[in-house]
Amino acid sequence: MYGYEDKTYNEVLTQAVNNIEEINQAVDAICEKGYKNLYLVGTGGTYAMASPLSYLIKTNSTIPWYYEIAAELVTAKPKQLTKDSVVITASLSGTTVETINAAKYAKEVGATVIALVGEKECPLAEYADYVFENRTASNDNLVEEIYIQYFALGARFMKNNGEFPEYEKFIDALKQMPEVLQKVREDNDERALAFAEKHKDTKFHMCVGAGNTWGETYCFAMCVLEEMQWIATKSIHAAEFFHGTVEMTEKDMSFMLFKGEDETRPLLDRVEKFVRNYSDVVQVWDTKDYELKGVDPSVRGLVSPLVMAAQLERVSAHFEHVRNHSLEIRRYYRTVEY
Amino acid sequence: MYGYEDKTYNEVLTQAVNNIEEINQAVDAICEKGYKNLYLVGTGGTYAMASPLSYLIKTNSTIPWYYEIAAELVTAKPKQLTKDSVVITASLSGTTVETINAAKYAKEVGATVIALVGEKECPLAEYADYVFENRTASNDNLVEEIYIQYFALGARFMKNNGEFPEYEKFIDALKQMPEVLQKVREDNDERALAFAEKHKDTKFHMCVGAGNTWGETYCFAMCVLEEMQWIATKSIHAAEFFHGTVEMTEKDMSFMLFKGEDETRPLLDRVEKFVRNYSDVVQVWDTKDYELKGVDPSVRGLVSPLVMAAQLERVSAHFEHVRNHSLEIRRYYRTVEY
C-alpha cells in the first residue's frame, strides 16, 4: 500500500499495547492516593484525540472530567484544576509549546500529569509525573497508538472507580488493534484511492461526525485536509448540523460523514438521509464496514475512533500522491516565526 | 438604523434584567435543596450562547459543570446527569425539538430543569421546573437577552457557592446592558455597513475566537453567515488555529477575529499579529472599542459576549440589505422534511 510500512505500523501499535501494563500501575497508584477529577488536555491533533476519551468517560463513568485546549487552559486557569486533578496529555515530538506550557502550569498548581510521548528525553516529559514512551512512534504521527494508550488510561480509572464492566473485553479489544487495524487499512485502500482520485480538485469538504468519532471528524478536517493538503473544510457536529450549516447544502457540495457505532449513530443516520437527498457528493466513512476480528461485538462501538483513524489514514496517503502534495509540507507551522 | 427597533430592543433587554429577581429566587431554592452539578444544554444558537456561561463557571467556580449539545445528550446519556443535576437551557420559540427532548430526558432522570423561553405556554416549558419568560423576545432571536439571564443564573449559583466576589458589580453591569448595548449597536452601525459592503460577494470567512467570545464566533459563523446568508465559513478557536487551519491562510482570505477582554485575549492577539502579516483582509471585532458606560472596569471582560453580540447584530442587519438576502429565508430548516 502507498506510503505505508506495515511492519512499523505493527510495531508502533504493539508498543502502545505493551505500555498498558505500565499504564495500569500508574493509574492504580494515582487512584490509591486519590484524585478529584480528570483533565484531558491537548493541542490540535492531540486535542482531537482526547475527544473520544472524554466521550468514553462521559458515557460510562461518574468521574468528574474536563476537556481543554492546552493554550486556553493556561490563560483561563480553570478553577477545578487543582492539586487533586489528574492531567492526561500527549505530544509525540514532546516539543509542542502549548502542551508543554499546560503541563508546566498543571505542575505549578500541584496536579498529577500523565504524558504520552515519543521519547522520554523531551521537554514535555520534564513536567510529567508519569511518562509513557513509544520510541517507534516518535517520527510517525500515529493517532491510533495515542488512542490505545488514552483508552487504556481512561478504562483503568473507570474500573478502579467500580465502573465500566466492559473493562476486560475492551482491553482485549485494544490488544487486537495491531492486527485489526492493519486489516482495516488494507480493506479501505482501494476505496480511499478512488475517493482521492474523485476529489483531486475538490476545493471544500463538509465533514460531519458525532459521539466518539467527532474527534476524528474535527481532526481529519483540520490536521489532514487543511494542514497537510491545504483544502478548505468545515467540521460540524451531526447534532448541530441542522441548526445552521444545513443551509449550505448544495448538489455539488462534498460531504464526508464519519460514522461510528456508538449511541450517537442515529444522529449521523439523520444527516446521511438528508444529504443523500440534497447532494450528489456524499461519502460515508463507516466503521461498520469492517470485520474487526477478535473484537467482542459488545465493545465494537467503543473502538470506532481507532477504526475511523485507520481507514482515514488511507485517504490521507492517497491524497498525497494523487494530488502531488506531500503530507509533510507546511507554509507556516514551524516554518515562519509567529 | 437599518432593521432595528430601539424601543423593542430596550424592552426585551429590560425584561431580561427584570427576570433577575425571579432567577435569584429559583437559584436560591435549588441551592437550598442541594445539587451536584450544572448541565448547560442547547441547540445551535442556544448551544453557542451557553458557551460563555460555561467559560464563566470554569474560570470562577468549583461547581462541577458540563456543556452539552441537546441532541447528543439525549443519545449519549451522560452518567453525571442524574436527579442531582441542574439543567439550564433555552429556546425562544420553545419548540426546538432537540432541546425539548433533552429537557424531557433530564426530567426522566429526575434532574431540575431551568428553561428560558419566549412564552410560558410552549412545549419546552412542560419539561421545566423553572421557566423564565420574555414575551417581547418571542418573535426576535435576541442573543443578548439570553446572555443576561444565563449569566444571572450562573452568577447566582457561584455566589451561593461562596465564590465570585464580583457578583454585585457583575449584576450591576448586566442591569446597564439595555442602554450600553444600544450604544454599542449605534457605535458599530457605520463600520458594520462598510464591512457588509466590502464583503458583499465574499464567498468564505475564517472566524476566530476564544474564551468567552468563542460562542459568538461559532454562532456568527453558523447561525448568521451560513444559516441566514448562505456564506461558507470555518470557525476555529484561537488556541487551535496554529495547529492546522493556519495553513489555509492566503493573502485574499477574509479573517474575522472576535476579540473579547477576558484572559484569553493574548490568544487572539497572536492570531491577529499573524494574519495581518499574511492576509490583506482582516477585520477585528473588538469589544474594547466601546465605552460601556456604567460598567465597572473590573467586570468589563465578563460582559464581552454581550458586547460582541450587539456589535455583530449590525453586521447581520447590513448584510441583509447590501446582499439583498433576507435573514429569514431558509432553504431547508423548518421548510423541508428530514
Side-chain angles (χ1 to χ4, degrees):
Chain A
M1 292 191 283
Y2 177 84
Y4 178 67
E5 293 172 39
D6 55 1
K7 190 168 160 288
T8 308
Y9 188 54
N10 189 281
E11 278 172 14
V12 172
L13 267 55
T14 301
Q15 181 57 51
V17 167
N18 289 343
N19 280 352
I20 293 178
E21 200 161 308
E22 210 183 316
I23 282 170
N24 290 345
Q25 289 165 10
V27 174
D28 293 353
I30 293 168
C31 293
E32 180 74 29
K33 203 178 122 209
Y35 67 98
K36 202 174 147 195
N37 54 36
L38 300 179
Y39 267 80
L40 317 175
V41 180
T43 301
T46 58
Y47 174 66
M49 287 173 230
S51 169
L53 177 56
S54 75
Y55 187 86
L56 182 76
I57 297 170
K58 166 160 82 180
T59 48
N60 290 283
S61 175
T62 58
I63 301 169
W65 60 273
Y66 297 94
Y67 174 41
E68 296 283 347
I69 306 170
E72 178 160 290
L73 178 128
V74 173
T75 52
K77 301 185 171 42
K79 279 272 196 295
Q80 292 266 15
L81 176 56
T82 68
K83 65 176 180 49
D84 301 316
S85 299
V86 178
V87 173
I88 300 175
T89 193
S91 168
L92 274 178
S93 70
T95 61
T96 311
V97 175
E98 292 89 340
T99 307
I100 295 168
N101 288 342
K104 190 178 170 204
Y105 172 71
K107 285 312 302 166
E108 281 164 13
V109 303
T112 302
V113 177
I114 300 174
L116 310 182
V117 300
E119 300 196 13
K120 273 191 177 173
E121 301 74 26
C122 70
L124 176 59
E126 286 176 33
Y127 302 105
D129 300 277
Y130 297 94
V131 181
F132 301 102
E133 181 184 60
N134 195 341
R135 277 182 187 267
T136 333
S138 57
N139 291 316
D140 215 337
N141 273 303
L142 276 173
V143 175
E144 296 94 312
E145 68 101 14
I146 300 274
Y147 280 146
I148 290 172
Q149 296 177 81
Y150 268 175
F151 277 160
L153 282 162
R156 191 71 174 189
F157 274 109
M158 297 195 296
K159 174 189 153 64
N160 288 352
N161 200 40
E163 301 167 321
F164 199 48
E166 299 86 351
Y167 179 80
E168 297 296 342
K169 280 179 184 161
F170 183 58
I171 296 295
D172 276 352
L174 294 182
K175 289 179 178 169
Q176 305 302 319
M177 287 300 123
E179 286 71 37
V180 162
L181 299 181
Q182 158 76 9
K183 186 71 168 51
V184 169
R185 288 191 170 198
E186 284 167 11
D187 287 355
N188 198 42
D189 191 55
E190 202 175 315
R191 182 167 58 165
L193 174 59
F195 179 84
E197 282 170 344
K198 180 177 173 182
H199 286 287
K200 189 172 173 293
D201 301 313
T202 299
K203 301 270 182 273
F204 183 89
H205 296 276
M206 183 68 75
C207 300
V208 191
N212 70 9
T213 57
W214 166 247
E216 280 298 305
T217 312
Y218 173 89
C219 188
F220 191 80
M222 182 170 83
C223 306
V224 175
L225 294 175
E226 292 180 350
E227 181 167 31
M228 299 180 181
Q229 292 292 306
W230 311 349
I231 299 170
T233 74
K234 170 101 180 182
S235 48
I236 183 74
H237 196 287
E240 284 282 275
F241 176 73
F242 290 107
H243 295 273
T245 305
V246 62
E247 299 296 336
M248 299 306 296
T249 307
E250 299 274 4
K251 272 287 171 199
D252 63 351
M253 172 170 279
S254 167
F255 280 91
M256 296 179 73
L257 308 190
F258 299 74
K259 204 185 240 192
E261 295 166 62
D262 68 21
E263 306 78 4
T264 66
R265 188 172 171 90
L267 300 175
L268 260 297
D269 286 339
R270 190 179 179 215
V271 174
E272 182 180 357
K273 186 164 166 268
F274 175 84
V275 297
R276 286 209 187 276
N277 264 334
Y278 296 98
S279 164
D280 295 329
V281 202
V282 178
Q283 175 73 47
V284 181
W285 301 107
D286 191 344
T287 61
K288 252 197 177 162
D289 291 346
Y290 305 93
E291 188 195 356
L292 314 187
K293 199 175 164 185
V295 173
D296 192 276
S298 68
V299 297
R300 270 189 70 103
L302 299 177
V303 299
S304 292
L306 287 141
V307 180
M308 189 60 74
Q311 68 173 327
L312 291 175
E313 184 278 339
R314 290 292 80 209
V315 181
S316 317
H318 288 305
F319 261 142
E320 176 169 68
H321 69 91
V322 167
R323 302 186 72 243
N324 192 26
H325 183 126
S326 162
L327 297 168
E328 308 295 330
I329 313 177
R330 301 290 179 274
R331 292 195 270 199
Y332 307 107
Y333 187 63
R334 294 187 177 183
T335 301
V336 301
E337 282 289 327
Y338 47 81
Chain B
M1 292 191 283
Y2 177 83
Y4 178 67
E5 293 173 39
D6 54 0
K7 189 167 162 288
T8 308
Y9 188 54
N10 189 281
E11 278 171 16
V12 172
L13 266 55
T14 301
Q15 181 58 52
V17 166
N18 290 343
N19 280 352
I20 293 178
E21 199 161 310
E22 209 183 316
I23 282 171
N24 289 345
Q25 289 165 10
V27 175
D28 292 353
I30 293 167
C31 293
E32 180 75 27
K33 205 178 122 208
Y35 67 98
K36 202 175 148 195
N37 54 35
L38 300 179
Y39 267 80
L40 317 175
V41 179
T43 300
T46 58
Y47 174 65
M49 286 174 231
S51 169
L53 177 56
S54 75
Y55 188 86
L56 181 76
I57 297 170
K58 166 160 83 180
T59 48
N60 291 284
S61 173
T62 58
I63 302 169
W65 60 273
Y66 297 95
Y67 174 41
E68 295 283 347
I69 306 170
E72 179 159 292
L73 177 129
V74 173
T75 52
K77 299 182 173 44
K79 278 273 196 296
Q80 292 266 16
L81 177 57
T82 67
K83 67 176 178 51
D84 301 316
S85 300
V86 178
V87 172
I88 299 175
T89 193
S91 168
L92 275 178
S93 70
T95 61
T96 312
V97 176
E98 292 90 338
T99 307
I100 295 168
N101 288 342
K104 190 179 170 202
Y105 171 71
K107 286 311 303 166
E108 281 164 14
V109 303
T112 302
V113 176
I114 300 173
L116 310 183
V117 300
E119 301 196 13
K120 273 192 175 171
E121 301 74 28
C122 69
L124 177 59
E126 286 176 33
Y127 301 105
D129 299 277
Y130 298 93
V131 181
F132 301 102
E133 181 183 60
N134 195 342
R135 278 184 188 266
T136 332
S138 58
N139 290 317
D140 216 337
N141 274 303
L142 276 173
V143 174
E144 297 94 313
E145 68 101 14
I146 301 273
Y147 280 146
I148 290 172
Q149 295 177 81
Y150 268 175
F151 277 159
L153 282 162
R156 191 72 175 188
F157 275 109
M158 297 195 295
K159 174 188 153 64
N160 288 351
N161 199 40
E163 301 166 321
F164 199 47
E166 300 86 350
Y167 179 78
E168 297 296 343
K169 279 179 185 161
F170 182 59
I171 296 295
D172 276 351
L174 294 182
K175 289 179 178 170
Q176 305 302 320
M177 287 301 122
E179 286 70 37
V180 163
L181 298 182
Q182 159 74 12
K183 186 70 169 50
V184 169
R185 287 191 172 198
E186 283 167 13
D187 287 354
N188 198 41
D189 192 55
E190 204 174 313
R191 182 167 59 166
L193 174 58
F195 179 84
E197 281 170 346
K198 178 176 174 183
H199 287 286
K200 189 172 173 291
D201 301 314
T202 299
K203 300 271 183 274
F204 183 89
H205 297 275
M206 183 68 75
C207 301
V208 190
N212 71 8
T213 56
W214 166 248
E216 280 298 305
T217 312
Y218 174 88
C219 188
F220 191 79
M222 182 169 82
C223 305
V224 175
L225 294 175
E226 292 181 349
E227 181 167 34
M228 300 181 181
Q229 291 293 306
W230 311 351
I231 299 170
T233 74
K234 170 102 180 181
S235 48
I236 183 73
H237 196 287
E240 284 282 274
F241 176 72
F242 290 108
H243 295 272
T245 305
V246 62
E247 300 297 335
M248 298 306 296
T249 308
E250 300 274 4
K251 272 285 171 200
D252 62 352
M253 171 169 281
S254 166
F255 280 92
M256 295 178 73
L257 308 190
F258 299 73
K259 204 184 239 191
E261 294 166 62
D262 68 20
E263 306 79 4
T264 66
R265 188 171 170 92
L267 300 175
L268 261 298
D269 286 338
R270 189 178 180 214
V271 174
E272 182 180 355
K273 185 165 168 265
F274 175 83
V275 296
R276 286 208 187 277
N277 263 334
Y278 296 99
S279 165
D280 295 328
V281 203
V282 178
Q283 175 73 46
V284 182
W285 301 107
D286 190 345
T287 60
K288 253 197 177 164
D289 292 346
Y290 305 94
E291 188 196 356
L292 314 188
K293 200 176 163 183
V295 173
D296 192 276
S298 68
V299 296
R300 269 189 70 102
L302 300 176
V303 297
S304 293
L306 288 141
V307 180
M308 189 60 75
Q311 67 173 327
L312 292 174
E313 184 278 340
R314 289 291 80 206
V315 182
S316 317
H318 288 305
F319 261 141
E320 176 168 70
H321 68 93
V322 167
R323 302 186 72 242
N324 192 25
H325 184 124
S326 163
L327 297 167
E328 308 294 330
I329 314 176
R330 301 290 179 275
R331 293 194 270 200
Y332 307 107
Y333 187 63
R334 295 187 178 184
T335 301
V336 302
E337 282 290 327
Y338 47 83

